[in-house]
Amino acid sequence: MGAEVILVPRATPAETYPRWRLVLRAGAVTSCAYVVSVNRPAARSGGIIGGPSMVASPSGEVLLETTDPVAIVTLDKAVLEHARRQYPGYLDVRAHVYERAWRDVAGG
């Protein structure tokens, strides 16, 4: 639908980050968009919530991973366009080919 950046705020424990990292990278690849996920930079008052924030590119590359409270990353629209040209899920759908195949299977 044309989204360029998906924002994913989190309030998750640090020990769950490896799983989140994988999911966020996969989300970037399958959506052909940047994924920006922000968590609390550190646990407060002995709580368990806190850990890294990250930015993943449409290729799944981690562009930024930090526990700093402020960070800057530059996103490039040309990277989005390239990813969208390469991702097979965005190829043209030829409905007539599927229709003909289903008719053949149905014997018609």
Side-chain angles (χ1 to χ4, degrees):
M1 301 288 299
E4 296 179 355
V5 179
I6 300 169
L7 305 175
V8 185
R10 297 187 343 271
T12 59
E15 63 268 11
T16 65
Y17 180 64
R19 179 174 278 175
W20 276 102
R21 188 179 195 273
L22 177 64
V23 168
L24 295 166
R25 291 178 60 220
V29 171
T30 58
S31 64
C32 288
Y34 288 98
V35 171
V36 177
S37 183
V38 179
N39 199 5
R40 291 185 180 185
R44 293 182 174 182
S45 306
I48 63 168
I49 303 299
S53 296
M54 71 165 287
V55 177
S57 78
S59 70
E61 176 187 2
V62 176
L63 302 177
L64 177 75
E65 191 167 40
T66 186
T67 56
D68 290 342
V70 177
I72 296 173
V73 65
T74 301
L75 308 180
D76 184 351
K77 192 165 183 153
V79 171
L80 292 169
E81 293 163 357
H82 176 75
R84 290 173 181 175
R85 282 192 306 273
Q86 299 300 312
Y87 187 68
Y90 294 126
L91 297 177
D92 289 337
V93 176
R94 293 175 176 84
H96 67 281
V97 174
Y98 296 113
E99 180 184 357
R100 187 172 51 235
W102 281 110
R103 284 182 191 207
D104 290 347
V105 168

mmCIF file of all heavy atoms in Angstrom, residues 4 34 58 75-86:
data_model
loop_
_atom_site.group_PDB
_atom_site.id
_atom_site.type_symbol
_atom_site.label_atom_id
_atom_site.label_comp_id
_atom_site.label_asym_id
_atom_site.label_seq_id
_atom_site.Cartn_x
_atom_site.Cartn_y
_atom_site.Cartn_z
ATOM 1 N N GLU A 4 6.435 3.376 3.711
ATOM 2 C CA GLU A 4 7.890 3.439 3.576
ATOM 3 C C GLU A 4 8.598 3.110 4.884
ATOM 4 O O GLU A 4 9.701 2.583 4.877
ATOM 5 C CB GLU A 4 8.303 4.824 3.084
ATOM 6 C CG GLU A 4 7.770 5.102 1.693
ATOM 7 C CD GLU A 4 8.129 6.477 1.172
ATOM 8 O OE1 GLU A 4 8.714 7.293 1.904
ATOM 9 O OE2 GLU A 4 7.805 6.745 -0.002
ATOM 10 N N TYR A 34 11.298 0.191 5.651
ATOM 11 C CA TYR A 34 12.155 0.299 6.825
ATOM 12 C C TYR A 34 11.310 -0.034 8.051
ATOM 13 O O TYR A 34 10.120 0.284 8.101
ATOM 14 C CB TYR A 34 12.697 1.723 6.977
ATOM 15 C CG TYR A 34 13.750 2.087 5.963
ATOM 16 C CD1 TYR A 34 13.412 2.809 4.822
ATOM 17 C CD2 TYR A 34 15.071 1.722 6.147
ATOM 18 C CE1 TYR A 34 14.371 3.152 3.888
ATOM 19 C CE2 TYR A 34 16.040 2.063 5.216
ATOM 20 C CZ TYR A 34 15.687 2.783 4.093
ATOM 21 O OH TYR A 34 16.635 3.122 3.169
ATOM 22 N N PRO A 58 14.945 -2.453 4.208
ATOM 23 C CA PRO A 58 14.116 -3.414 3.475
ATOM 24 C C PRO A 58 14.865 -4.686 3.066
ATOM 25 O O PRO A 58 14.243 -5.685 2.745
ATOM 26 C CB PRO A 58 13.657 -2.644 2.241
ATOM 27 C CG PRO A 58 13.799 -1.212 2.606
ATOM 28 C CD PRO A 58 14.938 -1.140 3.564
ATOM 29 N N LEU A 75 17.402 7.398 6.177
ATOM 30 C CA LEU A 75 16.708 6.409 5.358
ATOM 31 C C LEU A 75 16.713 6.885 3.912
ATOM 32 O O LEU A 75 16.508 8.056 3.642
ATOM 33 C CB LEU A 75 15.267 6.243 5.860
ATOM 34 C CG LEU A 75 15.112 5.949 7.357
ATOM 35 C CD1 LEU A 75 13.638 5.808 7.714
ATOM 36 C CD2 LEU A 75 15.900 4.731 7.771
ATOM 37 N N ASP A 76 16.950 5.964 2.995
ATOM 38 C CA ASP A 76 17.113 6.300 1.584
ATOM 39 C C ASP A 76 15.955 5.717 0.775
ATOM 40 O O ASP A 76 15.761 4.495 0.735
ATOM 41 C CB ASP A 76 18.443 5.729 1.104
ATOM 42 C CG ASP A 76 18.791 6.074 -0.321
ATOM 43 O OD1 ASP A 76 17.934 6.626 -1.057
ATOM 44 O OD2 ASP A 76 19.934 5.798 -0.713
ATOM 45 N N LYS A 77 15.183 6.577 0.129
ATOM 46 C CA LYS A 77 14.028 6.129 -0.664
ATOM 47 C C LYS A 77 14.456 5.233 -1.829
ATOM 48 O O LYS A 77 13.720 4.327 -2.216
ATOM 49 C CB LYS A 77 13.240 7.330 -1.174
ATOM 50 C CG LYS A 77 11.907 6.931 -1.742
ATOM 51 C CD LYS A 77 10.993 8.104 -1.914
ATOM 52 C CE LYS A 77 9.666 7.622 -2.417
ATOM 53 N NZ LYS A 77 8.575 8.459 -2.049
ATOM 54 N N ALA A 78 15.638 5.446 -2.361
ATOM 55 C CA ALA A 78 16.117 4.610 -3.466
ATOM 56 C C ALA A 78 16.276 3.151 -3.017
ATOM 57 O O ALA A 78 16.069 2.226 -3.811
ATOM 58 C CB ALA A 78 17.440 5.141 -4.006
ATOM 59 N N VAL A 79 16.602 2.934 -1.755
ATOM 60 C CA VAL A 79 16.716 1.573 -1.218
ATOM 61 C C VAL A 79 15.344 0.898 -1.224
ATOM 62 O O VAL A 79 15.226 -0.283 -1.551
ATOM 63 C CB VAL A 79 17.328 1.602 0.206
ATOM 64 C CG1 VAL A 79 17.250 0.246 0.880
ATOM 65 C CG2 VAL A 79 18.774 2.089 0.151
ATOM 66 N N LEU A 80 14.305 1.643 -0.885
ATOM 67 C CA LEU A 80 12.938 1.112 -0.937
ATOM 68 C C LEU A 80 12.572 0.706 -2.356
ATOM 69 O O LEU A 80 12.034 -0.374 -2.591
ATOM 70 C CB LEU A 80 11.927 2.161 -0.464
ATOM 71 C CG LEU A 80 11.945 2.551 0.994
ATOM 72 C CD1 LEU A 80 11.067 3.771 1.206
ATOM 73 C CD2 LEU A 80 11.499 1.400 1.858
ATOM 74 N N GLU A 81 12.834 1.581 -3.303
ATOM 75 C CA GLU A 81 12.487 1.324 -4.697
ATOM 76 C C GLU A 81 13.208 0.084 -5.223
ATOM 77 O O GLU A 81 12.613 -0.746 -5.912
ATOM 78 C CB GLU A 81 12.775 2.560 -5.536
ATOM 79 C CG GLU A 81 11.865 3.723 -5.177
ATOM 80 C CD GLU A 81 12.363 5.075 -5.678
ATOM 81 O OE1 GLU A 81 13.456 5.149 -6.270
ATOM 82 O OE2 GLU A 81 11.628 6.064 -5.451
ATOM 83 N N HIS A 82 14.480 -0.058 -4.867
ATOM 84 C CA HIS A 82 15.255 -1.228 -5.284
ATOM 85 C C HIS A 82 14.654 -2.506 -4.678
ATOM 86 O O HIS A 82 14.463 -3.496 -5.383
ATOM 87 C CB HIS A 82 16.717 -1.073 -4.872
ATOM 88 C CG HIS A 82 17.537 -2.273 -5.188
ATOM 89 N ND1 HIS A 82 17.942 -2.570 -6.471
ATOM 90 C CD2 HIS A 82 18.012 -3.264 -4.396
ATOM 91 C CE1 HIS A 82 18.631 -3.700 -6.455
ATOM 92 N NE2 HIS A 82 18.684 -4.142 -5.200
ATOM 93 N N ALA A 83 14.353 -2.467 -3.377
ATOM 94 C CA ALA A 83 13.793 -3.642 -2.707
ATOM 95 C C ALA A 83 12.471 -4.044 -3.339
ATOM 96 O O ALA A 83 12.200 -5.231 -3.532
ATOM 97 C CB ALA A 83 13.615 -3.354 -1.219
ATOM 98 N N ARG A 84 11.651 -3.084 -3.672
ATOM 99 C CA ARG A 84 10.334 -3.376 -4.250
ATOM 100 C C ARG A 84 10.436 -3.950 -5.655
ATOM 101 O O ARG A 84 9.587 -4.730 -6.082
ATOM 102 C CB ARG A 84 9.456 -2.133 -4.213
ATOM 103 C CG ARG A 84 9.070 -1.813 -2.777
ATOM 104 C CD ARG A 84 8.349 -0.533 -2.598
ATOM 105 N NE ARG A 84 8.067 -0.365 -1.166
ATOM 106 C CZ ARG A 84 7.527 0.692 -0.633
ATOM 107 N NH1 ARG A 84 7.177 1.713 -1.401
ATOM 108 N NH2 ARG A 84 7.322 0.754 0.658
ATOM 109 N N ARG A 85 11.492 -3.585 -6.379
ATOM 110 C CA ARG A 85 11.702 -4.175 -7.708
ATOM 111 C C ARG A 85 12.191 -5.618 -7.586
ATOM 112 O O ARG A 85 11.919 -6.442 -8.450
ATOM 113 C CB ARG A 85 12.706 -3.358 -8.510
ATOM 114 C CG ARG A 85 12.139 -2.089 -9.099
ATOM 115 C CD ARG A 85 13.082 -1.470 -10.117
ATOM 116 N NE ARG A 85 14.426 -1.245 -9.617
ATOM 117 C CZ ARG A 85 14.840 -0.147 -8.970
ATOM 118 N NH1 ARG A 85 13.987 0.847 -8.747
ATOM 119 N NH2 ARG A 85 16.074 -0.029 -8.555
ATOM 120 N N GLN A 86 12.926 -5.933 -6.523
ATOM 121 C CA GLN A 86 13.550 -7.244 -6.370
ATOM 122 C C GLN A 86 12.679 -8.281 -5.665
ATOM 123 O O GLN A 86 12.835 -9.474 -5.894
ATOM 124 C CB GLN A 86 14.858 -7.107 -5.566
ATOM 125 C CG GLN A 86 15.890 -6.218 -6.208
ATOM 126 C CD GLN A 86 16.302 -6.717 -7.579
ATOM 127 O OE1 GLN A 86 16.592 -7.884 -7.760
ATOM 128 N NE2 GLN A 86 16.318 -5.831 -8.557
#
